[in-house]
Amino acid sequence: MDWFVPSDLRVEIKMESQLNQKPMRRRPWALGVVIFLGLILSGGGYAAATQTYQAEFGSPEQISEGRKLFLANCASCHGTNGEGAIGGPSVIGVGAASVDFQVGTGRMPGQASGPQLYKKPVQFTEEQILAMAAYVASLAPGPAIPAEEFLRTDGDVTHGGELFRINCAMCHNAVGAGGALTEGKFAPGLQGVSEKHIYEAMVTGPQNMPVFSDANLTPEDKKDIISYLKYVEDFESVGGYELGSIGPVAEGLFTWIFGIGFIIAITVWLGAKAN
Amino acid sequence: MSDLEKYTAGSATNIVRPIADPGLEPHRERMTDKSEHHARNAERQVSAMFIISMIGAVIAVWGFFAFPIVEGDLSATRNNTFWMGIGMALSLLGIGFGAVHWAKTLMPDNEVSEERHTARSTDEARAQAIEIVKLADGESGFSRRKLIRRTLYGALAFFPIPAVVIFGDLGPVVGDTLKRTMWAPGTRLTRDPTGIPIKASEVTIGSVFHVIPEGLSELEEHKLEEKAKAAVLLVRVNPGDLKEDPAKASWSYDGIVAYSKICTHVGCPVALYEQHTHHLLCPCHQSTFDLADHCKVIFGPAARPLPQLPITVDDEGYLVAQSDFLEPVGPSFWDMRK
Amino acid sequence: MSSTTEPKTALGKAANYIDERLTVGTVLKNFGRKVFPDHWSFMLGEVAMYSFVILIISGTFLTFFFQPSMAHTYYDGSYAPLKGAEMTVAYASSLDISFDIRGGLLMRQIHHWAALVFMAAAGLHMLRVFFTGAFRKPRELNWVVGFLLFILGMAAGFTGYSLPDDLLSGNGLRIIDGMIKGVPVIGPAISSGLFGGEFPGTEVIARLYSLHIMIIPALIIALLAFHLMMVIVHKHTHYPGPGRSDANVVGYPLMPVYVAKAGGFFFLVFGVIAAISATFTINPIWNYGPYDPSPVSAGTQPDWYIGWLDGALRLAPGHLDIAIFGYVIPMGVMLPIIVSLVFLALVAAYPFIEAWVTGDKREHHVLDRPRNAPTRTAIGAAGVVFYAILWAAASTDLIAIFFQMSLNHVLVAMQILLILGPVMAYWITKRTCLALQRKDREIVLHGRETGRVVRLPHGEYIEVHEPVDKYELWKLVDFKDYEPIMPRPNKDGKITIGTKIRAVLSRIYFEDRIAPVSKAEYEIAHADHSPAIEEQPKRKPKALKSKR
């Protein structure tokens, strides 16, 4: 990997590759170790990536590598210069964050045409994704891949919860279980989505999601929201198994199938004659 | 059956059954009836369940004391909910299974038959009842003394009226509060919940802001009542995408539009905004509004478009309301147009 | 009878003391051996009653800690993501019950699960009564009482659902407010009266609390007492079978068998609910946050028993609002209200409708097997489907997600199914019932198919049929059969409209019918057959029974 890559990106790469190997939830100490290693390796401070808009990043080699990948995998829909074509919108100005989100969650390259892109296994390595991100970022300024400091989960969960309920819960459900939109579109569940991808989704507004720019929700606000989401994701319900956190419909079905089911089984036993 | 045959059978047909009612099936002996060994076993099983029940009760009590609430540690709550619940369940199920097993295996299972009687009183009883009513009527003069009877009816009709009227103060008389909101000319649009005003330049295309009127957060009273009417969704779309009615063209500012968030169907917050289709969906009953076309209803049970809040920009570049909504927000009601 | 013996034991003395004051001896004498028929489907009403007892027990615990106040406060309990959040005292105390009181969450979960089971059991009990014709004379009034209990159960459930004042229940109240406001003329005034002014106000939780813990339970207890009293007066119905008639009741005596079974069953129902409550979260109010009119969560649904009303709201077509002299009647609200009220009215009135159509004024204590009343069963199935579609429509959004369909398509499909579904259900059910009746006739006339194929001396292959024993046979032939009524002129020689309607309904009910096998038919069928085709049963009757 090229050493021009900002330090925080290196950290991300490590975290992502670790995530790919082990789909288990990351432990806090592991995160600490990774951050520490990342800082030592890069030996530098935080670069310009803390700014939301970034003209470009990455070395010229990386950009040209990204361009090759783009031409081979993306240009048929997004145009040879990213200007958009039949089947795909322009990517000029969408920013590195958008590429990292769309490709990093496997939504891009898109597969079947449908109301909405689904998450799929990721098609590219981290280096390739970053190269494409660098290329797209070089076309025009756009939202950058977020800085590590806003991806920590030690924010104000109460504030994050309030913001989440007001800005996000109507589509994603109060604890991020997901919800339906019109004509087959949907807001996906947020459990298991990495902090970075949640952040990138907020700043880029993938597909039909609106944009929550830093002028709307500050990076601190976003960090609080992510902290809240990670809190509820890790929260082991005090009342027992949660039935998917989708609310009263699951509870009603459970009552009819298991509650009433058990009780009717008992009535049948009770009414049957003994041998 | 003679009792039953007093009544008409309606259109029921009369069919002679192929055989006569054979009577109850003969009783079949259970294992526990046949062998004392099985009966003894059943007895042991029943008491075993009662013993399990006692153990369950002990577990429930243990669960209560073993997991005192510790501030900030929710595992205590989780544990005492689980253990007390499991203990209680064992204790209850032990008694229940024990008792039913006892009844099924050791108590007699011979079916017995009991005679029924019609619900109707006997003719004799009826005659006596009528006699009593007549006697009471005669003694009181209820039929004879018309004046008393009629004034009594009047009194009985009047006396509950105060009981209805007294509830008149359950709520204030509805004025035109349903038709007004906090929005007034020059009221700044601020972020929900922080109350920080919003500059037009901060609203980028595709952004959505959840908005409350300036000053709402500081209200001492009726904060939620005002918020329930004044909540607004602020969106910037590409001005070319807007299909604006010329009369309302001045209500938006450079592609920035503000609409009431309160569904015109039954009042849920409509806030599911789709950036590219410009559709607004209500999560409660799926009414869909086209934000680019003055929030016209394009699907679902709502009938009215979401009311638009006319906005503009003040000297400092902050978004402000031009006026209140020009029609009532939220669910339709009887005299909303008056 | 000799003179009363003087009690010697302590128990005897106590019994004597009570009896000399309360006449319990006579009560026990009269009721101690009352007969109760035993069948699993007769336990459903008991499940509802026991759930109600559980609701009272757990609810009482909750009242000791819950504070029905909408005063503002800041949360300072154990759940981190709400610490410092502004909320009402009602919500804060609900959170405290959940997190900071030992057993509090367990009791909340028991209360809520028991409520869902209560309504489910009550609904199933109603279906059992409907499909077996147990609502017929003399029990029509008890059907109405049961119906009122079901409505009161919905009211109890909804008022309770609203009390924690979380985001989910607050949006539920908001929907109710929107519906009330839509009622012509009086809507806005009723809304103001309920909320003490504008929605959400500061009064509604306390008011719903009074309704939830006092008025509605008191009404339920009163009607439940009436319901049970009538069961004692009428005695329980029983299924058709040998030795069972409209003039008797066959079952087990109250003491000891029924006391042990029914008493034990209370503990079983409570135990199942306790086990579920210990292991499955219900209504995690901490997830939803405090009520605020601006946010809403995806998947905002009511508890299941209110679901059908929410579904009706979703399926209502828009654009149908009526304006009269500038006054507005919002049909997106009124249509669901009218449709659900009509549906409920039909349910409540059904016993009277059927009694009018058949003209049968006799008492009925032997139940109908559902197949033996094909039209009633078909009407019931149509009603169930109608209700089920409305109910499913309350989860259109979740159906769309889980089956990856378009929300809009799901909704439109539900609208179509709401009309078509009941018609199809009616037709299919009626035909199925008639087919089953034909099969019963076949069994009575020709016996049961054994699967054994034999070759007759002249080369013909034939399956051996085994005649059923007399007990089984009686069960198959003992049912009532009705003919369509012809419209006949009255004394004045006129055919009234009422008579015509009745004739039409009667024809719908009984035009297609399969009569029970008569003695003549039975004898003809049995005279016809050679002994080779019908053999005496080789197995015991019991074995035959279990084979079914």
Side-chain angles (χ1 to χ4, degrees):
Chain A
M1 186 183 25
D2 197 282
W3 72 283
F4 280 109
V5 176
S7 58
D8 51 319
L9 282 177
R10 283 204 181 162
V11 174
E12 273 309 315
I13 292 155
K14 289 195 176 301
M15 283 165 44
E16 282 300 307
S17 54
Q18 199 184 35
L19 264 180
N20 289 343
Q21 287 157 8
K22 265 196 301 182
M24 279 166 51
R25 190 167 293 143
R26 208 182 308 129
R27 288 178 184 80
W29 61 263
L31 178 69
V33 168
V34 171
I35 292 169
F36 183 69
L37 283 175
L39 285 171
I40 288 177
L41 282 172
S42 63
Y46 288 104
T50 51
Q51 290 164 8
T52 307
Y53 282 81
Q54 193 187 34
E56 56 186 88
F57 76 92
S59 64
E61 294 83 7
Q62 203 177 12
I63 291 173
S64 75
E65 171 66 19
R67 187 177 140 76
K68 277 183 215 153
L69 285 164
F70 186 88
L71 285 172
N73 296 291
C74 321
S76 58
C77 297
H78 293 291
T80 44
N81 294 308
E83 74 280 12
I86 301 161
S90 160
V91 294
I92 297 169
V94 299
S98 192
V99 178
D100 191 50
F101 175 85
Q102 300 283 5
V103 185
T105 58
R107 286 181 169 82
M108 278 287 151
Q111 216 165 38
S113 68
Q116 188 164 329
L117 296 169
Y118 286 84
K119 273 179 90 163
K120 292 190 300 291
V122 181
Q123 306 285 309
F124 298 95
T125 64
E126 279 301 319
E127 285 90 37
Q128 290 172 321
I129 294 171
L130 283 173
M132 282 185 277
Y135 168 67
V136 169
S138 74
L139 297 174
I145 296 170
E148 178 59 28
E149 61 173 303
F150 300 117
L151 301 179
R152 286 200 305 268
T153 55
D154 55 357
D156 178 348
V157 285
T158 304
H159 187 232
E162 193 174 13
L163 290 174
F164 185 81
R165 281 191 290 279
I166 287 177
N167 291 288
C168 324
M170 60 279 185
C171 300
H172 289 284
N173 159 300
V175 287
L181 298 173
T182 67
E183 308 286 357
K185 298 186 284 292
F186 61 93
L190 303 177
Q191 286 104 342
V193 181
S194 76
E195 291 85 342
K196 185 178 68 157
H197 289 147
I198 296 173
Y199 193 106
E200 287 168 348
M202 286 192 272
V203 290
T204 61
Q207 309 200 40
N208 263 299
M209 176 169 162
V211 177
F212 294 91
S213 67
D214 288 358
N216 188 351
L217 295 171
T218 64
E220 279 297 327
D221 288 341
K222 293 192 177 86
K223 177 183 163 181
D224 292 346
I225 289 173
I226 291 168
S227 304
Y228 169 75
L229 279 172
K230 290 296 152 187
Y231 184 96
V232 294
E233 189 179 321
D234 293 343
F235 178 73
E236 201 182 326
S237 175
V238 291
Y241 187 69
E242 278 188 309
L243 306 172
S245 295
I246 54 166
V249 171
E251 291 157 7
L253 282 178
F254 185 86
T255 302
W256 275 95
I257 296 169
F258 293 99
I260 288 291
F262 273 126
I263 288 171
I264 286 185
I266 288 174
T267 63
V268 171
W269 168 71
L270 197 139
K273 288 200 174 205
N275 273 324
Chain B
M1 281 301 277
S2 62
D3 261 0
L4 299 171
E5 282 159 2
K6 273 184 198 164
Y7 306 101
T8 150
S11 62
T13 57
N14 194 12
I15 287 174
V16 184
R17 306 281 179 237
I19 56 168
D21 183 351
L24 292 181
E25 284 185 69
H27 177 246
R28 189 171 51 93
E29 286 209 315
R30 296 164 296 186
M31 295 304 281
T32 45
D33 294 326
K34 288 183 213 155
S35 102
E36 184 56 27
H37 169 69
H38 279 96
R40 192 77 53 75
N41 264 350
E43 187 182 347
R44 277 196 215 104
Q45 287 158 357
V46 171
S47 5
M49 289 182 214
F50 289 158
I51 290 167
I52 289 173
S53 167
M54 288 186 262
I55 295 169
V58 172
I59 292 174
V61 174
W62 168 79
F64 183 87
F65 289 108
F67 303 105
I69 302 290
V70 182
E71 177 82 39
D73 177 16
L74 296 177
S75 65
T77 310
R78 182 161 51 244
N79 281 326
N80 69 49
T81 301
F82 178 78
W83 287 108
M84 288 178 70
I86 289 296
M88 279 173 63
L90 274 183
S91 150
L92 293 160
L93 291 173
I95 294 180
F97 280 118
V100 174
H101 193 52
W102 180 10
K104 283 181 61 164
T105 54
L106 295 171
M107 295 183 191
D109 74 335
N110 303 52
E111 283 189 315
V112 290
S113 172
E114 190 182 307
E115 212 180 311
R116 280 183 203 271
H117 307 283
T118 50
R120 186 187 196 275
S121 313
T122 57
D123 290 344
E124 193 188 340
R126 272 194 185 188
Q128 283 175 1
I130 291 167
E131 212 44 55
I132 289 170
V133 172
K134 279 186 181 157
L135 188 67
D137 183 39
E139 284 177 351
S140 64
F142 188 78
S143 300
R144 201 159 20 96
R145 301 184 199 279
K146 282 181 187 162
L147 186 63
I148 289 187
R149 194 172 78 234
R150 287 173 185 166
T151 47
L152 175 65
Y153 288 156
L156 289 176
F158 274 69
F159 100 96
I161 295 175
V164 176
V165 171
I166 201 168
F167 286 103
D169 278 346
L170 272 177
V173 175
V174 187
D176 59 353
T177 51
L178 289 179
K179 299 168 195 165
R180 283 187 286 107
T181 75
M182 253 184 91
W183 293 105
T187 307
R188 277 184 179 164
L189 279 70
T190 65
R191 290 170 173 82
D192 184 11
T194 52
I196 300 167
I198 303 162
K199 281 191 170 161
S201 57
E202 291 170 332
V203 188
T204 51
I205 287 181
S207 278
V208 45
F209 282 66
H210 296 263
V211 170
I212 48 176
E214 185 172 31
L216 185 121
S217 315
E218 286 83 52
L219 284 183
E220 293 288 323
E221 276 189 322
H222 302 307
K223 192 160 113 184
L224 291 185
E225 288 78 355
E226 290 302 337
K227 193 172 185 180
K229 293 186 294 184
V232 155
L233 197 75
L234 182 78
V235 175
R236 186 175 212 148
V237 298
N238 195 337
D241 289 352
L242 286 179
K243 288 175 239 165
E244 279 187 309
D245 176 354
K248 295 177 181 171
S250 63
W251 292 11
S252 64
Y253 179 80
D254 197 16
I256 303 178
V257 286
Y259 285 96
S260 166
K261 219 170 126 176
I262 312 304
C263 186
T264 55
H265 178 219
V266 283
C268 278
V270 188
L272 284 71
Y273 173 63
E274 296 177 4
Q275 195 203 142
H276 295 299
T277 59
H278 305 310
H279 290 170
L280 263 172
L281 172 70
C282 176
C284 294
H285 305 107
Q286 279 89 45
S287 294
T288 311
F289 304 87
D290 186 359
L291 184 116
D293 191 8
H294 292 292
C295 277
K296 208 174 72 184
V297 183
I298 51 173
F299 188 79
R304 290 156 47 225
L306 294 171
Q308 185 174 4
L309 183 72
I311 52 166
T312 185
V313 165
D314 68 7
D315 311 339
E316 295 170 62
Y318 289 107
L319 290 165
V320 294
Q322 291 182 29
S323 70
D324 195 356
F325 290 101
L326 278 95
E327 60 169 312
V329 298
S332 302
F333 53 95
W334 178 245
D335 52 354
M336 61 180 296
R337 304 237 183 263
K338 292 283 161 178
Chain C
M1 227 166 71
S2 57
S3 64
T4 1
T5 47
E6 202 53 41
K8 291 186 185 69
T9 60
L11 189 65
K13 280 177 184 158
N16 180 52
Y17 184 91
I18 303 282
D19 185 47
E20 283 179 356
R21 283 153 186 85
L22 297 173
T23 335
V24 288
T26 312
V27 176
L28 257 183
K29 180 192 78 115
N30 289 339
F31 291 101
R33 294 295 278 188
K34 253 186 109 60
V35 166
F36 283 88
D38 204 8
H39 188 272
W40 70 267
S41 69
F42 295 164
M43 311 298 286
L44 294 168
E46 264 174 61
V47 178
M49 182 171 75
Y50 293 154
S51 308
F52 182 68
V53 174
I54 297 164
L55 282 166
I56 290 192
I57 294 170
S58 54
T60 305
F61 177 90
L62 296 175
T63 60
F64 293 157
F65 300 100
F66 178 69
Q67 295 170 18
S69 158
M70 292 176 88
H72 281 256
T73 185
Y74 294 90
Y75 180 66
D76 186 28
S78 290
Y79 185 64
L82 289 170
K83 233 177 165 80
E86 192 181 354
M87 60 180 62
T88 59
V89 170
Y91 184 51
S93 68
S94 306
L95 289 170
D96 287 343
I97 289 172
S98 307
F99 289 107
D100 295 315
I101 289 161
R102 276 177 281 179
L105 181 59
L106 179 65
M107 281 295 154
R108 251 198 68 222
Q109 300 203 133
I110 286 178
H111 196 67
H112 207 140
W113 282 122
L116 298 193
V117 169
F118 171 60
M119 290 305 291
L124 282 176
H125 174 58
M126 283 180 89
L127 291 178
R128 196 280 294 170
V129 168
F130 183 90
F131 284 111
T132 58
F135 54 78
R136 289 171 299 168
K137 189 182 172 185
R139 296 182 180 76
E140 305 99 315
L141 297 179
N142 216 8
W143 167 266
V144 175
V145 171
F147 168 81
L148 292 175
L149 280 167
F150 189 78
I151 301 293
L152 283 169
M154 284 171 63
F158 187 79
T159 50
Y161 168 91
S162 304
L163 292 180
D165 202 21
D166 56 332
L167 188 58
L168 184 68
S169 71
N171 275 310
L173 270 179
R174 172 134 222 182
I175 292 167
I176 291 292
D177 176 54
M179 288 175 74
I180 292 175
K181 279 197 183 123
V183 175
V185 189
I186 51 171
I190 291 181
S191 161
S192 170
L194 175 63
F195 292 93
E198 285 190 78
F199 175 87
T202 51
E203 314 281 348
V204 69
I205 296 292
R207 288 176 184 178
L208 293 177
Y209 189 61
S210 301
L211 293 173
H212 182 73
I213 69 158
M214 196 167 64
I215 295 167
I216 296 172
L219 287 173
I220 291 181
I221 290 170
L223 285 180
L224 191 60
F226 193 36
H227 201 61
L228 295 177
M229 205 185 75
M230 281 199 269
V231 172
I232 291 170
V233 170
H234 297 142
K235 297 195 169 89
H236 210 287
T237 51
H238 47 194
Y239 279 99
R244 287 147 174 88
S245 76
D246 279 331
N248 72 354
V249 51
V250 175
Y252 297 112
L254 180 69
M255 286 172 77
V257 178
Y258 202 72
V259 167
K261 278 193 171 182
F265 190 49
F266 167 73
F267 289 93
L268 291 171
V269 172
F270 202 165
V272 167
I273 290 176
I276 291 175
S277 305
T279 44
F280 289 90
T281 306
I282 187 165
N283 196 17
I285 49 168
W286 52 89
N287 279 351
Y288 302 117
Y291 180 63
D292 176 334
S294 170
V296 64
S297 169
T300 288
Q301 265 104 358
D303 275 346
W304 80 260
Y305 45 84
I306 305 288
W308 70 288
L309 297 172
D310 194 53
L313 277 177
R314 292 183 189 215
L315 295 189
H319 307 294
L320 287 180
D321 282 13
I322 299 171
I324 307 169
F325 305 121
Y327 291 103
V328 178
I329 302 176
M331 293 312 283
V333 172
M334 287 315 293
L335 206 60
I337 292 179
I338 292 165
V339 167
S340 37
L341 286 180
V342 168
F343 178 74
L344 289 176
L346 284 174
V347 171
Y350 186 79
F352 308 101
I353 298 171
E354 191 184 297
W356 181 63
V357 171
T358 60
D360 189 345
K361 300 259 190 312
R362 297 171 301 175
E363 287 193 5
H364 295 279
H365 300 288
V366 176
L367 297 172
D368 282 329
R369 297 168 76 211
R371 70 183 60 173
N372 290 334
T375 307
R376 179 203 299 145
T377 305
I379 291 173
V384 167
V385 167
F386 183 78
Y387 182 96
I389 296 288
L390 288 179
W391 183 22
S395 20
T396 40
D397 47 344
L398 296 171
I399 293 171
I401 296 180
F402 283 104
F403 299 102
Q404 299 192 353
M405 292 189 289
S406 157
L407 179 64
N408 307 55
H409 294 168
V410 173
L411 250 162
V412 172
M414 291 280 183
Q415 286 173 328
I416 295 167
L417 274 178
L418 187 68
I419 312 291
L420 278 188
V423 176
M424 281 158 54
Y426 179 90
W427 190 83
I428 292 171
T429 311
K430 187 157 182 177
R431 293 293 126 192
T432 308
C433 285
L434 292 172
L436 287 170
Q437 278 189 300
R438 280 197 193 94
K439 182 170 159 259
D440 282 356
R441 271 182 73 90
E442 193 64 24
I443 291 170
V444 170
L445 293 175
H446 308 296
R448 224 179 264 293
E449 292 171 5
T450 58
R452 275 193 300 128
V453 176
V454 293
R455 193 176 145 184
L456 298 183
H458 57 275
E460 183 189 354
Y461 285 93
I462 199 151
E463 186 182 4
V464 178
H465 286 229
E466 256 175 21
V468 289
D469 69 290
K470 58 183 177 177
Y471 302 109
E472 181 71 13
L473 185 75
W474 180 252
K475 200 173 123 186
L476 296 178
V477 297
D478 182 31
F479 65 92
K480 296 187 179 62
D481 172 50
Y482 296 87
E483 282 170 345
I485 302 175
M486 289 294 135
R488 292 188 201 290
N490 63 6
K491 281 176 206 152
D492 305 333
K494 283 180 184 161
I495 298 178
T496 59
I497 293 178
T499 314
K500 279 182 193 160
I501 295 173
R502 187 174 167 179
V504 168
L505 284 177
S506 180
R507 209 174 62 231
I508 293 171
Y509 263 78
F510 304 119
E511 197 170 42
D512 293 333
R513 67 201 177 91
I514 307 287
V517 175
S518 68
K519 195 177 172 99
E521 289 171 313
Y522 185 74
E523 280 165 358
I524 291 168
H526 284 251
D528 265 2
H529 289 128
S530 63
I533 301 171
E534 286 178 19
E535 293 186 343
Q536 286 308 305
K538 292 211 163 122
R539 278 165 286 182
K540 284 180 188 170
K542 281 299 150 204
L544 266 178
K545 237 185 141 182
S546 64
K547 207 181 121 195
R548 280 188 73 230

